[in-house]
Amino acid sequence: MEMEKLVSLCKRRGFLFQSSEIYGGLNGFWDYGPLGVELKRNIKEAWWRDMVTGHDDLAPPPGAPEAYEMVGLDCTIIMHPQVWKCSGHFDLFVDKMVDCRESKKRYRYDQVPGRWVEAKGQKIFVTTAVEEHHEADLESRALKFFNLRAKDAGDLAWEGPVVSLAKIDPALYEKALGPDAKALGTLTAPRDFNLMFKTFVGALSGEEGAAYLRPETAQGIFVNFKNVCDSTRVRVPFGIAQMGKSFRNEITPRNFTFRSREFEQMEIEFFCHPKSSPQWYQYWRDRRMKWYTDLGLAGERLKLREHDKDELSHYSCGTSDIEYAFPFLPPGEFGELEGIAHRGDFDLRSHMEGKLVAKDGQLVVEQGPDGKPKWKGSGKDLSYRDDLTNERFVPHVIEPSAGADRGTLAFLCEAYHEDQAPDEKGEMQTRVVMKLHPRIAPLKAAVFPLVKKDGMPEVAQRIYRAIKPHMPVFYDEKGAVGRRYRRQDEAGTPYCITVDGQTLTDGTVTVRDRDSLKQDRVHESELVAVLRERIG
Ligand code: GAP
């Protein structure tokens, strides 16, 4: 599937719009239209229901070491700045970026592809801003730089593969041709760029009033661990779930909503005994993978990838990513949908003791130049006492952290299909159909009168009103019925109900299945039950 087709359908049918589009848009920000908002809500609601409200606290689910409890939380986007100092985000949540003195543009240096090339006795590292088919753009930029014509492409002597700028020694940047530059040596040395959005609380505009929009929802859970333990009767093992907006000032937002600057996360922090944490890590990896497959992400496009040891954070005993082969990625490449990390006791200890660093294989509080903790923790006791065994310990954490927008994008990509279906005249036409799982489809059914006369609209409206209290349903009487079917196929509506001449005599309507295109007759009085059963 070409991504352009999905992007165009999303705009045409009201799934996704560029933010502030009438003013030219704002890079990295997206709005959900009338269909998109329902789709994303359904995905978030499915997550909340499957992980929290629908979870059986009393019996171990398949694969779980024992029964566990799940509760929810909704905390603020702006939190005490010390949260981000102890969590490490203030010091370490950075991307390396380079600036171009000529084009005045800024790039994430690990996302600038380039290649060494020699011609006319000069060797340069030519780079590109093009996201796909780098080779063609690198060649045309190199030809232009060396003042060669396309027919002289053979005069370019390429050296080594395409690599990112991150692999090049900054001392050699004087030989680099920036992605949008005409001259060599315009790129600055890489610098740290903190991804947190800074803001000011109250009337204080100096550092005193500085605060940050949260770059993840997770820290709100850790800082409320004690509150949840004290105010509920949860016992370890248990999980706290939270969904909500997060903000990251990404240097190069790209690929539709995949890397945005404002997005929603769905995160669980699962607190368990250190001894059983490896089993819980395995459980959550499998549980989360199953959640996506149950909702229709299946086959070769979804995979669970265990991180190599050298990819792990210093405190992590294991991390896996659930990845999807998004169509905008080169063949064979996958993009992260969700990370499942074993985080040990890093987070709770950081918020007790202060920002931690690894030293000789141990986590210790980082010291400032004065020998005191660089960033002081809360000093509050965030350990847990097991009232049955009397054991006191700092729970270990398993963190399944998903992106609601990336999930929505993956479900949209997976749903997009083109097939052949007959039009009103029986001629085969290409049909665009969004095969969304009925549970997440924005509309569950649409009701049409076959024609706008003979009392059919009145019956169809009655049916529409009877279904509406039970599920989202759409009424449409405008245009040829074939056209109306096509619109609902593009919206991903699983069932279309049509009132025709026979309805007026025997009370039955046709129910058309979006995917199989099969139609069967159902009595008006049984419609809600039949739809409920089919939607599941
Ligand atoms: N608390 C852990 C954490 O935030 P992460 O891998 O940085 O981990 C988790 O983010 C998930 O959030 C990702 O798997 C992705 O789905 C989503 N996410 C992260 N950055 C994003 C961005 N810029 N745009 C859209 N989604 C993003």
Side-chain angles (χ1 to χ4, degrees):
M1 190 256 295
E2 294 124 64
M3 201 56 201
E4 296 74 40
K5 288 187 177 175
L6 179 68
V7 174
S8 136
L9 177 132
C10 283
K11 180 164 161 61
R12 188 170 76 246
R13 294 311 321 275
F15 280 101
L16 275 158
F17 308 126
Q18 212 187 353
S19 163
S20 330
E21 195 186 283
I22 60 167
Y23 289 104
L26 189 59
N27 200 8
F29 297 88
W30 295 92
D31 294 340
Y32 286 81
L35 285 180
V37 66
E38 296 300 334
L39 173 65
K40 187 169 153 189
R41 276 173 66 108
N42 290 344
I43 291 166
K44 289 192 296 176
E45 272 168 28
W47 182 83
W48 192 258
R49 185 157 173 74
D50 294 346
M51 298 300 120
V52 187
T53 49
H55 168 72
D56 179 352
D57 289 344
L58 307 179
E66 60 183 293
Y68 63 90
E69 290 171 78
M70 287 295 299
V71 294
L73 191 72
D74 182 19
C75 46
T76 58
I77 284 168
I78 295 175
M79 297 196 277
H80 195 294
Q82 200 67 11
V83 170
W84 307 111
K85 290 178 176 158
C86 291
S87 71
H89 286 84
F90 185 79
D91 291 341
L92 303 170
F93 196 54
V94 290
D95 274 341
K96 292 254 186 243
M97 50 99 188
V98 291
D99 287 312
C100 176
R101 292 185 207 93
E102 184 188 313
S103 68
K104 307 286 177 235
K105 288 197 176 163
R106 178 168 283 181
Y107 312 91
R108 219 175 102 170
Y109 87 146
D110 58 346
Q111 287 178 353
V112 176
R115 197 173 173 195
W116 287 104
V117 60
E118 193 172 343
K120 298 184 175 175
Q122 192 183 10
K123 190 163 140 189
I124 66 164
F125 185 73
V126 59
T127 66
T128 173
V130 167
E131 282 172 28
E132 283 174 52
H133 313 300
H134 304 135
E135 278 80 0
D137 192 57
L138 287 173
E139 182 177 285
S140 92
R141 298 203 72 228
L143 287 170
K144 205 164 180 185
F145 177 82
F146 289 114
N147 215 358
L148 292 169
R149 284 193 259 170
K151 68 176 177 54
D152 302 322
D155 293 352
L156 296 174
W158 295 99
E159 194 185 296
V162 175
V163 289
S164 90
L165 192 62
K167 300 271 182 242
I168 305 299
D169 181 347
L172 299 174
Y173 280 12
E174 63 190 34
K175 296 184 174 169
L177 181 66
D180 298 284
K182 291 197 183 82
L184 291 182
T186 61
L187 296 176
T188 62
R191 279 187 293 143
D192 283 349
F193 176 78
N194 195 300
L195 299 184
M196 284 196 293
F197 278 99
K198 196 172 186 178
T199 188
F200 297 93
V201 175
L204 300 168
S205 60
E207 276 313 298
E208 257 180 291
Y212 301 90
L213 305 192
R214 68 181 175 200
E216 60 169 29
T217 63
Q219 296 305 321
I221 300 181
F222 296 124
V223 300
N224 276 294
F225 172 75
K226 192 169 155 43
N227 278 338
V228 172
C229 288
D230 292 350
S231 61
T232 66
R233 294 170 64 195
V234 284
R235 301 191 65 247
V236 166
F238 72 92
I240 306 180
Q242 166 158 239
M243 57 167 82
K245 292 266 184 178
S246 292
F247 301 81
R248 297 184 188 178
N249 200 0
E250 300 282 0
I251 300 171
T252 41
R254 55 165 76 177
N255 293 331
F256 211 10
T257 58
F258 182 81
R259 179 164 290 115
S260 313
R261 289 179 165 142
E262 175 175 341
F263 54 96
E264 274 188 90
Q265 290 185 307
M266 308 185 291
E267 300 199 286
I268 295 171
E269 304 303 328
F270 188 79
F271 301 94
C272 56
H273 193 283
K275 279 198 193 126
S276 55
S277 60
Q279 287 109 285
W280 283 112
Y281 169 61
Q282 292 296 327
Y283 165 73
W284 277 107
R285 280 172 23 136
D286 301 343
R287 176 72 193 92
R288 291 300 306 145
M289 184 74 178
K290 187 170 180 308
W291 187 78
Y292 290 101
T293 52
D294 285 353
L295 281 178
L297 288 194
E300 290 154 11
R301 284 183 295 276
L302 192 72
K303 77 168 184 198
L304 187 69
R305 185 181 69 84
E306 184 84 40
H307 283 209
D308 296 335
K309 283 272 168 283
D310 57 354
E311 271 184 275
L312 295 179
S313 330
H314 53 274
Y315 49 77
S316 181
C317 324
T319 296
S320 303
D321 285 344
I322 296 176
E323 299 181 332
Y324 183 74
F326 287 97
F328 47 75
L329 296 172
E333 280 189 27
F334 287 71
E336 178 188 327
L337 271 187
E338 169 161 352
I340 299 106
H342 183 306
R343 297 180 61 87
D345 58 7
F346 176 80
D347 305 278
L348 289 178
R349 276 189 55 203
S350 304
H351 288 300
M352 278 198 281
E353 302 167 23
K355 183 179 171 241
L356 299 173
V357 283
K359 199 172 171 196
D360 306 327
Q362 300 287 319
L363 286 174
V364 293
V365 176
E366 188 177 356
Q367 313 275 299
D370 55 1
K372 293 189 183 149
K374 185 174 180 202
W375 302 119
K376 260 172 74 181
S378 67
K380 297 279 184 293
D381 182 5
L382 302 181
S383 66
Y384 172 85
R385 190 178 67 85
D386 187 322
D387 53 6
L388 297 181
T389 61
N390 238 347
E391 187 188 2
R392 185 169 279 285
F393 58 93
V394 179
H396 277 200
V397 167
I398 314 297
E399 177 190 71
S401 169
D405 304 86
R406 276 197 197 167
T408 305
L409 184 58
F411 285 116
L412 281 167
C413 293
E414 185 79 15
Y416 187 97
H417 283 81
E418 285 179 12
D419 61 13
Q420 296 287 311
D423 65 10
E424 295 89 291
K425 296 175 201 135
E427 283 167 26
M428 294 306 268
Q429 302 286 354
T430 299
R431 170 180 85 131
V432 174
V433 52
M434 295 298 284
K435 294 191 176 177
L436 291 164
H437 189 289
R439 213 178 146 198
I440 57 172
L443 294 162
K444 310 302 177 200
V447 183
F448 310 147
L450 183 63
V451 288
K452 231 165 109 182
K453 56 183 184 184
D454 303 334
M456 289 186 207
E458 289 74 11
V459 177
Q461 284 167 21
R462 186 178 70 218
I463 291 174
Y464 159 81
R465 289 199 189 95
I467 301 174
K468 190 84 176 176
H470 304 278
M471 63 192 78
V473 60
F474 185 74
Y475 175 80
D476 192 2
E477 58 177 30
K478 288 185 215 112
V481 74
R483 280 256 181 83
R484 286 179 261 161
Y485 282 142
R486 292 287 183 281
R487 282 183 68 77
Q488 293 308 317
D489 289 340
E490 286 196 345
T493 310
Y495 298 103
C496 286
I497 296 155
T498 305
V499 170
D500 55 14
Q502 193 176 329
T503 315
L504 307 177
T505 56
D506 67 5
T508 65
V509 293
T510 61
V511 178
R512 170 188 179 269
D513 182 288
R514 175 195 68 196
D515 300 344
S516 68
L517 292 174
K518 284 207 184 96
Q519 301 203 17
D520 55 351
R521 295 202 79 87
V522 174
H523 195 273
E524 185 189 334
S525 60
E526 290 165 6
L527 265 177
V528 170
V530 167
L531 287 174
R532 275 220 175 114
E533 195 200 314
R534 292 187 189 176
I535 287 162

